[in-house]
DNA sequence: AAATATAATATGTCTGCACATAATATTTCT
DNA sequence: AGAAATATTATGTGCAGACATATTATATTT
């Protein structure tokens, strides 16, 4: 390795681009685990984030270019690039060729929502999962499904309603339309054993999807199925998925009162 | 290197990365811009995704290792690595050292929720944004806020309620507690001009946050503020943010009936 | 047979270098 | 001056090679 003593992340008198003074040089004692002698992209990531958090670099500021940062931090440009790329993906930085990299002015927080198979969500909480097929028919779709999935009104579809339970209590009521044309095998699946959702996840990959969340009032029948009262507030997820231009499925997922969707940001 | 004629990705007949936007669905003869002779990581990404979608590689399957894929596709391992890494981050693949890379068995769909500043969300739809401060006081927090933010019951906090409007109509009702200790400058901010949310975004960075979504019924006063009826179904977002171990703010955002949160997956 | 050490291996990451590309800045031309 | 051509520059990406590290498989010991 280079025998030259490198300016590692420890102590950097960095020339603020336009940032005037304030400097805050007092971050001197920030030490890294830093077992390896190499500077990892994660430490660069952390260091940049630190400077943003401590407002050495404020929203809108232009930060040093990759080569400069690499020099300052004692690592290769590729390493800095990796760190900055991730930070941009996370929404902390805005990057443009030639124009440089700036701290995002509107830190759009990107929440990652993991949308699991319901069964796993329930079992993950240590509850007992159960599932019941309520109704199933094969027919042509109603107009709103046609426009939603962009399929013709005379297409062959499966219409399924089912109920998912946690510890015996109604948890989610699912109403779903599946295009048989797009996934013929589903006609043979035993949807009283495995939920359509789970079957589709395993057998019908999709290329695009759309998901929306809202709050609605329980209708009379919805209330009955979910064992609650009419006009209870329900959390509704609507999902539609395509494979290429083929509409696969469109589902309304109604959650029992009290449901909360969580995410860390 | 191998002089053998490789199956490069140059002319692969499938799957546009995203683009979509209707246009011609029968995009059979997709040609890459492909000016360069090099194989990009995005084409590797697309190719692997294609193999998953066409079920050449099924959920649970072990896929070839990086070096093999690199050879097959005629590119460097680093390029394959980049593609596979992204696919793993997107939830399509599971990777483990030594064990190799498999197609994810439970394609937990990772929806990316961009949570913008409300003002931008409204203006982005071409509507006129307005904001009004309803109420503001400085006092000690109620118990639920203490536990939520993990601050002491006698801490100095700001309690703010405000209303955000789109085209003059109530859009979102915000109730917020801000720790003055954590961000002293907010005491001087003019929160009748700029919303607390926006002020905080610009001046009080945070390191962790928590967000949850649910459906609730409008209370009498909430209904009045949002100009709707009592017991209307409202979409509720609860957000809490910390900087390190310092609780910064905790907010309840109540959206007017009809609100929908969207995301593509 | 169970516990422990050791080898093997696929992914993870860093480096140095080169060239591509998009966007800006500058110069030249009309 | 205004438009068009040209140079400049920061990021984006590709490559080969090297070493790090987690994890599994195998061999060795108790």
């Amino acid at each position: 390795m280079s025998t030259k003593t490198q300016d590692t992340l420890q102590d950097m008198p960095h020339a603020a681009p336009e940032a005037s003074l304030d400097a805050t040089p007092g971050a001197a004692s920030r030490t890294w685990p830093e077992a390896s002698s190499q500077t990892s992209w994660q430490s660069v990531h952390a260091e940049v984030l630190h400077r943003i958090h401590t407002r050495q670099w404020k929203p809108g500021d232009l930060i040093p270019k990759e080569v400069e940062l690499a020099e300052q931090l004692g690592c290769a440009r590729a390493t800095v690039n990796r760190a900055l790329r991730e930070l941009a993906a996370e929404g902390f930085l805005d990057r443009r060729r030639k124009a440089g990299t700036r701290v995002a002015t509107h830190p759009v927080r990107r929440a990652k929502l993991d949308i699991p198979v319901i069964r796993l969500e329930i079992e993950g909480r240590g509850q007992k999962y159960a599932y019941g097929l309520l109704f199933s028919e094969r027919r042509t779709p109603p107009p709103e499904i046609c426009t939603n999935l962009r399929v013709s009104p005379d297409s062959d579809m499966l219409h399924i309603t089912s109920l998912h339970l946690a510890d015996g209590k109604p948890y989610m009521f699912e109403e779903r339309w599946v295009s048989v044309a797009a996934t013929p095998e589903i006609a043979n699946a035993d949807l009283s054993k495995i939920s359509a959702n789970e079957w589709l996840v395993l057998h019908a990959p999709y290329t695009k999807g759309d998901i929306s969340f809202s709050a609605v009032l329980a209708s009379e029948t919805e209330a009955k199925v979910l064992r609650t009262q009419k006009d209870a507030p329900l959390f509704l997820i609507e999902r539609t998925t395509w494979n290429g231009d083929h509409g696969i499925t469109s589902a309304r997922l109604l959650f029992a009162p009290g449901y909360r969707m969580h995410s860390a940001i």
Side-chain angles (χ1 to χ4, degrees), chain A residues 5-263:
Chain A
T5 313
Q6 295 170 327
D7 305 343
T8 52
L9 292 172
Q10 260 61 305
D11 45 12
M12 293 208 319
H14 141 262
E18 54 176 4
S20 64
L21 50 156
D22 82 332
T24 325
S29 56
R30 270 167 45 70
T31 47
W32 245 205
E34 193 65 55
S36 96
S37 62
Q38 282 189 322
T39 308
S40 71
W41 70 265
Q42 332 210 10
S43 41
V44 176
H45 183 281
E47 171 61 18
V48 172
L49 210 45
H50 176 73
R51 292 188 188 181
I52 294 175
H53 282 147
T54 55
R55 303 183 61 68
Q56 286 172 62
W57 294 341
K58 303 189 192 62
D61 279 5
L62 193 65
I63 77 171
K65 46 190 148 183
E66 293 186 349
V67 268
E68 288 175 17
L69 266 178
E71 226 169 90
Q72 284 180 31
L73 304 176
C75 64
R77 181 169 84 94
T79 306
V80 172
N81 181 281
R82 168 91 191 258
L84 297 189
R85 197 191 336 124
E86 304 258 331
L87 283 162
E90 291 163 76
F92 293 105
L93 296 177
D94 283 332
R95 321 194 71 199
R96 277 168 66 210
R97 289 188 186 175
K98 165 83 184 181
T101 302
R102 355 189 120 248
V103 179
T105 38
H106 290 293
V108 177
R109 248 10 198 227
R110 221 150 274 171
K112 265 179 273 171
L113 272 196
D114 283 351
I115 306 169
V117 175
I118 293 291
R119 178 173 61 80
L120 300 177
E121 178 174 323
I122 291 173
E123 290 175 349
R125 275 203 301 273
Q127 298 182 294
K128 187 159 181 310
Y129 172 77
Y131 158 81
L133 179 62
L134 299 181
F135 174 81
S136 170
E137 64 175 339
R138 195 160 165 180
R139 52 161 291 193
T140 55
E144 71 272 20
I145 298 297
C146 294
T147 53
N148 227 356
L149 278 175
R150 278 168 253 155
V151 294
S152 73
D154 60 336
S155 50
D156 184 12
M157 300 199 77
L158 213 55
H159 179 211
I160 299 158
T161 59
S162 61
L163 184 66
H164 302 251
L165 304 103
D167 277 347
K169 285 192 308 197
Y171 185 81
M172 189 264 280
F173 173 49
E174 169 180 350
E175 180 180 5
R176 182 182 291 271
W177 289 84
V178 186
S179 162
V180 179
T183 53
E185 311 90 348
I186 199 170
N188 310 318
D190 182 0
L191 295 179
S192 60
K193 289 263 168 54
I194 182 176
S195 79
N197 178 39
E198 207 156 337
W199 190 92
L200 287 165
V201 157
L202 289 175
H203 299 87
Y206 54 95
T207 52
K208 338 174 238 182
D210 194 87
I211 190 164
S212 83
F213 311 89
S214 53
V216 296
L217 293 182
S219 73
E220 191 104 38
T221 54
E222 287 160 357
K224 212 153 97 179
V225 173
L226 287 171
R227 256 180 262 156
T228 180
Q229 278 142 10
K230 176 160 151 43
D231 294 336
L234 303 182
F235 190 82
L236 168 64
I237 300 186
E238 288 166 294
R239 283 180 78 172
T240 310
T241 58
W242 289 268
N243 197 351
D245 306 303
H246 255 9
I248 298 280
T249 183
S250 175
R252 264 172 63 91
L253 313 178
L254 272 174
F255 290 82
Y259 179 78
R260 270 177 164 230
M261 195 172 70
H262 264 279
S263 177

